[in-house]
Amino acid sequence: MNRREQRERIFKLLFRVEFNELEEMSEQCSLFFEDEENAASEKDISYIQGKYEKIAQKLAEIDQMINETAKGWNTQRMGKVDLTILRLAVYEIRYDEEVPTGVAINEAVELAKKFGQDGSSGFVNGVLAKFA
């Protein structure tokens, strides 16, 4: 599985935070990988789950950074898909030294094109440009 596929699965797993309590997410992770569509090797599962957990630990900090950066918007008003993409990208920009900023932004825009609404890619790009 390549990095883009891993990132997409991290996004899908992180999206579940919006609909489940953090305490339930351990069970949600298990259910996530039981789904045929999300099947992965043990190595990929370890990477995806590990990165998800690191992001989940920093959600409050990440949301605060997004709220401070996205003028006229806050995380409560944003669409759930856009917010999840921003959370993943901000984590990669600020905390993941293995992912260059340009790659994090480009991948976020691609996720927004695939999963977001018509204006999602522009919105995500605009917010993340302020982080760069």
Side-chain angles (χ1 to χ4, degrees), residues 23-98:
E23 298 80 37
E24 298 173 355
M25 285 306 295
S26 176
E27 182 180 351
Q28 287 295 317
C29 285
S30 297
L31 293 171
F32 179 80
F33 291 110
E34 287 176 9
D35 186 352
E36 230 178 88
E37 180 181 314
N38 299 316
S41 70
E42 286 299 318
K43 181 181 174 186
D44 289 329
I45 289 172
S46 177
Y47 176 81
I48 292 164
Q49 195 163 354
K51 190 160 183 177
Y52 155 76
E53 289 170 0
K54 290 175 187 174
I55 297 168
Q57 290 173 355
K58 297 195 176 291
L59 273 184
E61 294 173 50
I62 292 169
D63 284 356
Q64 182 179 352
M65 285 188 263
I66 292 170
N67 285 330
E68 291 170 358
T69 305
K71 300 295 180 205
W73 285 89
N74 66 45
T75 54
Q76 300 300 316
R77 287 187 53 216
M78 291 179 188
K80 305 279 189 227
V81 170
D82 296 349
L83 175 57
T84 303
I85 293 168
L86 288 171
R87 285 172 168 168
L88 173 56
V90 169
Y91 173 83
E92 289 183 335
I93 291 168
R94 295 296 166 136
Y95 301 106
D96 193 337
E97 294 179 8
E98 293 180 16

Side-chain angles (χ1 to χ4, degrees), residues 113-128:
K113 287 177 183 175
K114 184 170 184 176
F115 295 103
Q117 298 176 344
D118 288 341
S120 291
S121 59
F123 175 73
V124 166
N125 190 45
V127 173
L128 295 177

